[in-house]
Amino acid sequence: MTQVEAPAWTPMSAEEREAFDRDGYIVVPSVLSESEIEVGRAAILGAYEKGKQDGKLGSTGALHQLSPIAGVPELAFLLDHPKAFKYIWSLLGWNIHVYHSHIDVHPQIHEKQKDWWHWHQDGGRQNREIETDPRPMMSVKLAYWFSDLTETGRGNFTVIPGSHKTNWLPGPPSRGVPWPQPEGATQITAKAGDLVVFDRRIWHARSDNYSDITRVGAFFGYTPRWIAIRDEVADLPNRPEWEGFTEVQKQLLGAFGNGDGDHQWGHYPETTPLYGALKERGLLDSSIPALIP
């Protein structure tokens, strides 16, 4: 399933952009249709069962699988789903790819866990080596939900609203020390099919799941093409399912430019699929710097 049921492309609204800039995230309801939820959930739970058979689950029986398109290509429709992808190109422009992605399955935890400190910003060394305060956004992540998270305590995505413009968060001397939750921590509730769009800088974690609802989600992080891809996708063009992907999906999976630095720097918009798709639809808004060729 590489195509989706709602083909129309529209930009994010001014109100959504304002909320995203203020809070560092937005929750978008009912992005996926019932059939898309069914397809995505089945594919992710299939990966979970395989992980269980291969002994690759975590200590609490959870799956955290990186580079999901390489292992579960039927999820490729999520890469450029029009109702979700509009937030990515509206914020980051056309010269982008997916640099980091994962699928997660967290079943019920039966034993009380210590209050380990899991709070972090995405971006790894970017948070050490970029000197500005606040640091630049650099990337935006989409979190699709395939389970009922309408109550807290179900492994909810947890954030500190507005913290994306704060470089440091007071915490323990190391992650191996139990520590209370930071002030302002908010568990985000959502239905299956809902989407969370978040700035990679927002301080976030995951609540423990003590409920009988298995938490199922898929995460895709987008960034400019001049930042290296972390996902293991180099072999995808050699696989039979590759021809079923759209040209934009292929760009997002790192296929365009043949490693040419100038192409990745955005010097050739006319041979970059997302640029062409936005131009064709009249969506290259000159008021947004990232959308200017």
Side-chain angles (χ1 to χ4, degrees):
M1 181 178 186
T2 58
Q3 301 287 348
V4 296
E5 299 168 7
W9 288 34
T10 56
M12 69 188 298
S13 69
E15 293 77 15
E16 290 171 325
R17 190 179 290 273
E18 180 182 1
F20 184 85
D21 182 65
R22 180 189 66 237
D23 299 331
Y25 75 97
I26 55 174
V27 180
V28 187
S30 303
V31 164
L32 300 179
S33 68
E34 289 299 324
S35 62
E36 289 167 346
I37 295 169
E38 183 179 347
V39 167
R41 180 178 173 86
I44 296 171
L45 291 179
Y48 173 77
E49 291 300 323
K50 186 177 187 305
K52 183 188 295 185
Q53 294 171 8
D54 295 343
K56 294 183 177 180
L57 302 184
S59 60
T60 61
L63 174 74
H64 178 65
Q65 181 173 323
L66 303 178
S67 312
I69 303 304
V72 194
E74 52 267 50
L75 294 177
F77 76 98
L78 298 173
L79 292 169
D80 59 347
H81 191 295
K83 290 184 178 180
F85 190 45
K86 69 178 185 178
Y87 299 102
I88 299 302
W89 57 259
S90 291
L91 291 163
L92 295 176
W94 51 267
N95 190 41
I96 58 172
H97 56 200
V98 172
Y99 80 109
H100 173 51
S101 57
H102 51 93
I103 51 176
D104 295 326
V105 178
H106 289 84
Q108 182 179 23
I109 298 174
H110 296 282
E111 295 183 6
K112 174 67 176 176
Q113 304 294 297
K114 291 184 178 181
D115 291 326
W116 300 120
W117 184 264
H118 296 297
W119 288 87
H120 65 283
Q121 295 174 307
D122 287 345
R125 295 298 302 180
Q126 292 174 353
N127 299 316
R128 296 285 185 183
E129 297 169 1
I130 296 177
E131 299 173 350
T132 60
D133 188 1
R135 287 181 285 264
M137 180 169 63
M138 305 294 285
S139 66
V140 176
K141 214 166 191 179
L142 301 179
Y144 293 93
W145 299 114
F146 296 91
S147 56
D148 182 359
L149 301 177
T150 53
E151 297 181 13
T152 59
R154 294 182 175 181
N156 303 67
F157 182 62
T158 306
V159 302
I160 303 174
S163 63
H164 57 304
K165 297 182 181 179
T166 302
N167 279 2
W168 301 104
L169 188 67
S174 68
R175 284 198 176 190
V177 178
W179 204 263
Q181 294 293 300
E183 183 177 354
T186 302
Q187 294 189 36
I188 295 177
T189 55
K191 303 188 302 295
D194 289 355
L195 176 79
V196 178
V197 185
F198 64 98
D199 185 319
R200 66 109 194 149
R201 299 171 296 178
I202 196 166
W203 288 91
H204 61 281
R206 170 182 45 79
S207 73
D208 289 326
N209 182 14
Y210 296 108
S211 76
D212 59 1
I213 302 292
T214 296
R215 181 233 206 204
V216 182
F219 295 73
F220 296 90
Y222 301 76
T223 199
R225 292 168 64 227
W226 37 265
I227 293 176
I229 292 178
R230 179 183 174 187
D231 281 355
E232 296 180 1
V233 293
D235 189 55
L236 279 176
N238 301 320
R239 292 168 48 174
E241 58 266 21
W242 182 255
E243 292 308 313
F245 296 160
T246 68
E247 294 301 288
V248 169
Q249 289 169 355
K250 291 176 182 178
Q251 172 188 325
L252 297 175
L253 293 168
F256 277 81
N258 296 318
D260 179 354
D262 278 348
H263 203 287
Q264 292 174 327
W265 274 71
H267 291 178
Y268 302 102
E270 296 295 344
T271 56
T272 305
L274 181 54
Y275 175 86
L278 293 171
K279 182 179 181 180
E280 178 184 349
R281 293 167 172 82
L283 294 171
L284 293 174
D285 185 346
S286 60
S287 69
I288 300 173
L291 287 174
I292 299 173

